[in-house]
Structure formats: structure tokens, C-alpha cells
Short mmCIF file of all heavy atoms in Angstrom, two decimals:
data_model
loop_
_atom_site.label_atom_id
_atom_site.label_comp_id
_atom_site.label_asym_id
_atom_site.label_seq_id
_atom_site.Cartn_x
_atom_site.Cartn_y
_atom_site.Cartn_z
N ILE A 1 0.81 -1.17 -0.01
CA ILE A 1 -0.09 -0.04 0.05
C ILE A 1 0.90 1.30 -0.03
O ILE A 1 0.66 2.18 -0.78
CB ILE A 1 -0.81 0.06 1.20
CG1 ILE A 1 -1.95 -1.13 1.06
CG2 ILE A 1 -1.73 1.34 1.36
CD1 ILE A 1 -2.78 -1.39 2.29
N ILE A 2 1.91 1.32 0.82
CA ILE A 2 2.78 2.41 0.90
C ILE A 2 3.53 2.60 -0.46
O ILE A 2 3.59 3.75 -1.04
CB ILE A 2 3.84 2.23 2.06
CG1 ILE A 2 3.21 2.27 3.33
CG2 ILE A 2 4.96 3.30 1.90
CD1 ILE A 2 2.49 3.54 3.76
N LEU A 3 3.94 1.57 -1.04
CA LEU A 3 4.70 1.63 -2.34
C LEU A 3 3.71 2.01 -3.45
O LEU A 3 4.17 2.66 -4.45
CB LEU A 3 5.36 0.27 -2.74
CG LEU A 3 6.52 -0.11 -1.90
CD1 LEU A 3 7.03 -1.50 -2.17
CD2 LEU A 3 7.64 0.95 -2.14
N SER A 4 2.39 1.71 -3.36
CA SER A 4 1.42 2.16 -4.34
C SER A 4 1.35 3.61 -4.36
O SER A 4 1.21 4.30 -5.41
CB SER A 4 0.13 1.51 -4.14
OG SER A 4 -0.50 2.06 -2.89
N PHE A 5 1.48 4.30 -3.22
CA PHE A 5 1.42 5.83 -3.10
C PHE A 5 2.65 6.39 -3.69
O PHE A 5 2.65 7.39 -4.36
CB PHE A 5 1.18 6.28 -1.64
CG PHE A 5 -0.16 6.22 -1.20
CD1 PHE A 5 -0.75 5.09 -0.59
CD2 PHE A 5 -1.04 7.24 -1.33
CE1 PHE A 5 -2.03 5.03 -0.22
CE2 PHE A 5 -2.33 7.15 -0.93
CZ PHE A 5 -2.85 6.09 -0.36
N PHE A 6 3.79 5.71 -3.47
CA PHE A 6 5.04 6.15 -4.08
C PHE A 6 4.95 6.16 -5.62
O PHE A 6 5.48 6.92 -6.38
CB PHE A 6 6.25 5.51 -3.54
CG PHE A 6 6.83 5.88 -2.19
CD1 PHE A 6 6.60 5.30 -1.06
CD2 PHE A 6 7.51 7.13 -2.25
CE1 PHE A 6 7.03 5.73 0.18
CE2 PHE A 6 7.94 7.65 -0.94
CZ PHE A 6 7.68 6.83 0.24
N CYS A 7 4.40 4.93 -6.03
CA CYS A 7 4.20 4.82 -7.51
C CYS A 7 3.32 5.85 -8.15
O CYS A 7 3.73 6.44 -9.13
CB CYS A 7 3.72 3.35 -7.71
SG CYS A 7 3.31 2.98 -9.51
N VAL A 8 2.20 6.15 -7.54
CA VAL A 8 1.31 7.15 -8.10
C VAL A 8 1.77 8.50 -8.02
O VAL A 8 1.55 9.34 -8.90
CB VAL A 8 -0.09 6.87 -7.33
CG1 VAL A 8 -1.14 7.96 -7.85
CG2 VAL A 8 -0.68 5.55 -7.69
N PHE A 9 2.43 8.83 -6.88
CA PHE A 9 2.83 10.22 -6.75
C PHE A 9 4.32 10.39 -6.86
O PHE A 9 4.95 11.47 -6.35
CB PHE A 9 2.42 10.69 -5.31
CG PHE A 9 0.97 10.71 -5.04
CD1 PHE A 9 0.34 9.72 -4.18
CD2 PHE A 9 0.11 11.64 -5.77
CE1 PHE A 9 -1.02 9.66 -4.01
CE2 PHE A 9 -1.29 11.58 -5.52
CZ PHE A 9 -1.79 10.67 -4.68
N ARG A 10 5.02 9.57 -7.58
CA ARG A 10 6.45 9.76 -7.65
C ARG A 10 6.99 10.93 -8.33
O ARG A 10 8.00 11.40 -8.09
CB ARG A 10 6.99 8.46 -8.31
CG ARG A 10 6.62 8.22 -9.71
CD ARG A 10 7.15 6.89 -10.33
NE ARG A 10 6.86 6.67 -11.75
CZ ARG A 10 5.78 6.18 -12.16
NH1 ARG A 10 4.72 5.87 -11.34
NH2 ARG A 10 5.65 6.04 -13.49
N TYR A 11 6.23 11.41 -9.33
CA TYR A 11 6.64 12.59 -9.91
C TYR A 11 6.63 13.85 -9.06
O TYR A 11 7.46 14.77 -9.38
CB TYR A 11 5.75 12.93 -11.19
CG TYR A 11 5.91 12.08 -12.40
CD1 TYR A 11 5.04 11.97 -13.43
CD2 TYR A 11 7.06 11.26 -12.40
CE1 TYR A 11 5.24 11.18 -14.47
CE2 TYR A 11 7.33 10.45 -13.56
CZ TYR A 11 6.35 10.41 -14.55
OH TYR A 11 6.57 9.61 -15.73
N GLU A 12 5.97 13.80 -8.01
CA GLU A 12 6.05 14.86 -7.00
C GLU A 12 7.40 14.91 -6.30
O GLU A 12 7.86 15.97 -5.77
CB GLU A 12 4.98 14.76 -5.93
CG GLU A 12 3.58 14.75 -6.52
CD GLU A 12 3.18 16.09 -7.14
OE1 GLU A 12 3.71 17.08 -6.67
OE2 GLU A 12 2.33 16.17 -8.04
N LEU A 13 8.13 13.68 -6.32
CA LEU A 13 9.36 13.65 -5.63
C LEU A 13 10.44 14.21 -6.56
O LEU A 13 11.67 14.39 -6.00
CB LEU A 13 9.69 12.23 -5.27
CG LEU A 13 8.68 11.52 -4.32
CD1 LEU A 13 9.09 10.01 -4.16
CD2 LEU A 13 8.64 12.18 -3.08
N ASN A 14 10.35 14.31 -7.82
CA ASN A 14 11.23 14.72 -8.79
C ASN A 14 12.55 13.90 -8.67
O ASN A 14 13.68 14.46 -8.60
CB ASN A 14 11.64 16.25 -8.65
CG ASN A 14 12.32 16.86 -9.85
OD1 ASN A 14 12.18 16.32 -10.96
ND2 ASN A 14 13.04 17.90 -9.55
N ALA A 15 12.42 12.57 -8.51
CA ALA A 15 13.59 11.71 -8.27
C ALA A 15 14.38 11.48 -9.51
O ALA A 15 13.80 11.59 -10.65
CB ALA A 15 13.06 10.33 -7.77
N PRO A 16 15.55 11.18 -9.38
CA PRO A 16 16.45 10.84 -10.57
C PRO A 16 15.75 9.65 -11.44
O PRO A 16 15.02 8.90 -10.80
CB PRO A 16 17.75 10.41 -10.08
CG PRO A 16 17.89 11.08 -8.73
CD PRO A 16 16.43 11.16 -8.24
N PHE A 17 16.12 9.52 -12.66
CA PHE A 17 15.49 8.55 -13.57
C PHE A 17 15.41 7.14 -12.94
O PHE A 17 14.46 6.51 -13.04
CB PHE A 17 16.09 8.61 -14.97
CG PHE A 17 15.63 7.57 -15.87
CD1 PHE A 17 14.37 7.76 -16.50
CD2 PHE A 17 16.43 6.49 -16.24
CE1 PHE A 17 13.91 6.85 -17.37
CE2 PHE A 17 15.93 5.54 -17.19
CZ PHE A 17 14.71 5.75 -17.78
N ILE A 18 16.58 6.65 -12.58
CA ILE A 18 16.64 5.29 -12.08
C ILE A 18 15.72 5.07 -10.82
O ILE A 18 14.99 4.13 -10.76
CB ILE A 18 18.09 4.97 -11.64
CG1 ILE A 18 18.96 4.80 -12.99
CG2 ILE A 18 18.20 3.66 -10.87
CD1 ILE A 18 18.46 3.84 -13.94
N PHE A 19 15.72 6.05 -9.99
CA PHE A 19 14.87 5.80 -8.82
C PHE A 19 13.45 6.01 -9.11
O PHE A 19 12.56 5.44 -8.47
CB PHE A 19 15.33 6.88 -7.64
CG PHE A 19 16.63 6.61 -7.18
CD1 PHE A 19 17.72 7.37 -7.51
CD2 PHE A 19 16.91 5.47 -6.21
CE1 PHE A 19 19.03 7.14 -7.08
CE2 PHE A 19 18.20 5.26 -5.78
CZ PHE A 19 19.27 5.96 -6.13
N ASP A 20 13.09 6.80 -10.10
CA ASP A 20 11.74 6.97 -10.55
C ASP A 20 11.27 5.65 -11.14
O ASP A 20 10.17 5.14 -10.82
CB ASP A 20 11.69 8.05 -11.60
CG ASP A 20 10.25 8.19 -12.17
OD1 ASP A 20 9.49 8.89 -11.44
OD2 ASP A 20 9.94 7.70 -13.23
N LEU A 21 12.14 4.99 -11.94
CA LEU A 21 11.78 3.69 -12.43
C LEU A 21 11.60 2.61 -11.28
O LEU A 21 10.63 1.75 -11.38
CB LEU A 21 12.82 3.16 -13.33
CG LEU A 21 12.74 3.59 -14.88
CD1 LEU A 21 13.96 3.06 -15.65
CD2 LEU A 21 11.44 3.20 -15.57
N PHE A 22 12.48 2.72 -10.29
CA PHE A 22 12.42 1.79 -9.25
C PHE A 22 11.01 1.97 -8.51
O PHE A 22 10.25 1.07 -8.26
CB PHE A 22 13.46 1.96 -8.27
CG PHE A 22 13.27 1.21 -6.92
CD1 PHE A 22 13.57 -0.22 -6.87
CD2 PHE A 22 12.85 1.84 -5.82
CE1 PHE A 22 13.52 -0.93 -5.74
CE2 PHE A 22 12.70 1.07 -4.55
CZ PHE A 22 12.97 -0.27 -4.58
N LEU A 23 10.52 3.27 -8.19
CA LEU A 23 9.39 3.52 -7.58
C LEU A 23 8.09 3.11 -8.40
O LEU A 23 7.00 2.77 -7.82
CB LEU A 23 9.24 5.06 -7.16
CG LEU A 23 10.29 5.57 -6.14
CD1 LEU A 23 10.12 7.08 -6.00
CD2 LEU A 23 10.02 4.81 -4.80
N ALA A 24 8.32 3.15 -9.70
CA ALA A 24 7.21 2.78 -10.53
C ALA A 24 6.96 1.28 -10.66
O ALA A 24 5.78 0.85 -10.82
CB ALA A 24 7.50 3.24 -12.00
N ASN A 25 7.95 0.44 -10.19
CA ASN A 25 7.74 -0.92 -10.32
C ASN A 25 7.88 -1.76 -9.02
O ASN A 25 7.55 -2.95 -9.00
CB ASN A 25 8.84 -1.48 -11.38
CG ASN A 25 8.56 -0.95 -12.72
OD1 ASN A 25 7.74 -1.47 -13.42
ND2 ASN A 25 9.31 0.03 -13.24
N ALA A 26 8.51 -1.11 -8.04
CA ALA A 26 8.74 -1.81 -6.72
C ALA A 26 7.35 -2.35 -6.11
O ALA A 26 7.27 -3.38 -5.47
CB ALA A 26 9.34 -0.94 -5.71
#
């Protein structure tokens, strides 16, 4: 559930590309 929020709102974090991909799939 926690990771689903990171997946959905990850663009708000403005994370580097690799970490954005990780948050999208973890």
C-alpha cells in the first residue's frame, strides 16, 4: 500500500530517472 502511493505520486518527488523507475515498479 505504501509503495502504491510512491508509485502514483512519484513525480512529485522529482527523483532521478533510475529511482523513478524503481518507484514505478517496486
Side-chain angles (χ1 to χ4, degrees):
I1 293 172
I2 294 299
L3 288 173
S4 71
F5 279 90
F6 277 107
C7 175
V8 170
F9 297 108
R10 64 187 186 274
Y11 283 167
E12 301 293 331
L13 301 176
N14 198 27
F17 176 71
I18 291 299
F19 294 102
D20 181 80
L21 276 177
F22 173 79
L23 293 175
N25 293 283

